[in-house]
Amino acid sequence: MRHRTLGELRVSAVGLGTMPLSIEGRPDEARALATVHAALDAGVTLLDTADSYHLPGEEPGHNERLLARALATWGGDTDTVLVATKGGRGRPVGADWTVNGDPRRLRAAAEGSLRRLGVEAIGLYQLHKPDPAVPFEESVGALRELAQEGKIRLAGVSNVDADQIRAARAILGDRLVCVQNRYSPAVGDSEPELRLAAGLGLAFLPWSPLGGISRSSLDGPSGLADEGPFTAFHEVARHHGVSPQQVCLAWLLSRSPTVIPIPGASRPETARDSAGAADLELGEEELTALGRAVERGRRGAGVRG
């Protein structure tokens, strides 16, 4: 497993997004734990979670408690693993995902995450999404206070624009280590934020990084004829004998040395396959072909970037 830097920490070049293990369609606990263990065994050292990763109306923290059990039952060195969690969103019954960036709410959320994870300080705590009803600086200020009190070690922001990244950097200084935005072959709206993060030395964690790449070869034939502008990912995958998803993650890694994808998984096989992208070498001609495919796909969908 190759590594990249997140602040002063060295983490795996590919992380694991653990949301699928706790929301609708989640696997049973045995398979969920096996999925996390498979990622860890493959060298993944970054696990991304949130207090809101649970079923609607369920008590917050299902995913955090699951990760705590997974780490407690894993036979490896957990000191090498960074658990990154987030606060500021909710999932009440009968409603869509809510946003609450009130500093008091963020403090309570972080303290709840501390208890569920069973740690003295959260390794990486991220503002899940800016709250339009709360000044962004106040929400980020809560993260600064939590860091000053030793309750979180590093901070990040998610679902933010370039101006918000700059504002967070001004408030948090070197404690701000990452930006987590949606980014994939099909979704390039955060291209400016990716470039800004790289310029500031911040890690960029694409969430939902496999957008546009359908049906892994792990699930059977890829259906190349039906893949539209992203067939190039399947063609490169066939050449290397890997899944299109693995090619997608390797392409993301090529976008910037600060990119650390966090693909989700709900099966051990998928977690292992994603981890393998860190060691997949793509040639210049392949990267050029993939880049052209992405450009065509985004242009056709009217996506900037």
Side-chain angles (χ1 to χ4, degrees):
M1 170 64 73
R2 296 183 180 181
H3 293 79
R4 295 199 162 179
T5 57
L6 200 158
E8 296 183 351
L9 297 181
R10 186 170 176 263
V11 299
S12 56
V14 176
L16 176 68
T18 58
M19 183 175 72
L21 302 176
S22 292
I23 62 169
E24 292 85 341
R26 66 192 187 193
D28 61 39
E29 181 162 312
R31 195 175 93 185
L33 294 175
T35 299
V36 178
H37 290 167
L40 295 171
D41 289 339
V44 170
T45 61
L46 174 62
L47 304 177
D48 183 80
T49 182
D51 63 352
S52 57
Y53 291 168
H54 57 80
L55 297 177
E58 190 176 64
E59 181 183 351
H62 178 278
N63 199 249
E64 292 173 326
R65 289 189 292 270
L66 177 68
L67 288 191
R69 290 193 293 275
L71 290 169
T73 54
W74 183 53
D77 181 9
T78 57
D79 289 340
T80 66
V81 179
L82 175 65
V83 176
T85 192
K86 299 181 285 292
R89 303 208 73 177
R91 299 201 73 195
V93 173
D96 201 355
W97 295 71
T98 58
V99 181
N100 189 338
D102 185 283
R104 293 166 296 183
R105 171 66 183 86
L106 290 172
R107 173 177 290 277
E111 291 173 348
S113 294
L114 270 171
R115 291 191 297 271
R116 289 185 291 268
L117 293 171
V119 295
E120 294 182 359
I122 297 170
L124 171 59
Y125 195 69
Q126 302 160 95
L127 175 65
H128 205 153
K129 187 176 184 178
D131 183 347
V134 177
F136 182 70
E137 292 76 9
E138 292 184 13
S139 298
V140 177
L143 271 61
R144 180 181 58 191
E145 292 178 3
L146 289 165
Q148 291 170 340
E149 296 168 10
K151 294 181 178 179
I152 69 174
R153 294 194 174 94
L154 301 171
V157 287
S158 181
N159 299 299
V160 288
D161 61 29
D163 287 340
Q164 290 166 333
I165 293 172
R166 295 187 186 96
R169 181 60 177 266
I171 295 168
L172 292 164
D174 291 341
R175 289 193 178 98
L176 180 70
V177 298
C178 67
V179 173
Q180 183 176 149
N181 277 14
R182 187 179 185 185
Y183 186 82
S184 69
V187 180
D189 289 349
S190 283
E191 193 77 41
E193 288 73 29
L194 187 159
R195 293 195 295 267
L196 176 59
L200 294 174
L202 304 174
F204 186 88
L205 280 55
W207 64 264
S208 197
L210 301 175
I213 311 302
S214 64
R215 294 199 63 183
S216 167
S217 60
L218 293 172
D219 299 318
S222 299
L224 283 172
D226 301 323
E227 296 305 324
F230 301 113
T231 54
F233 285 86
H234 293 254
E235 292 164 356
V236 172
R238 286 196 301 183
H239 175 74
H240 286 273
V242 299
S243 72
Q245 280 74 13
Q246 194 173 122
V247 172
C248 176
L249 295 173
W251 172 78
L252 285 168
L253 289 169
S254 76
R255 300 296 295 150
S256 167
T258 64
V259 168
I260 306 173
I262 47 172
S266 59
R267 297 183 298 142
E269 298 88 347
T270 308
R272 283 191 289 266
D273 183 68
S274 292
D279 296 315
L280 177 60
E281 292 280 358
L282 299 178
E284 287 300 321
E285 291 185 3
E286 292 174 323
L287 289 172
T288 297
L290 296 175
R292 288 173 178 166
V294 168
E295 184 179 352
R296 287 194 301 270
R298 292 179 180 173
R299 188 168 58 242
V303 177
R304 69 186 175 104

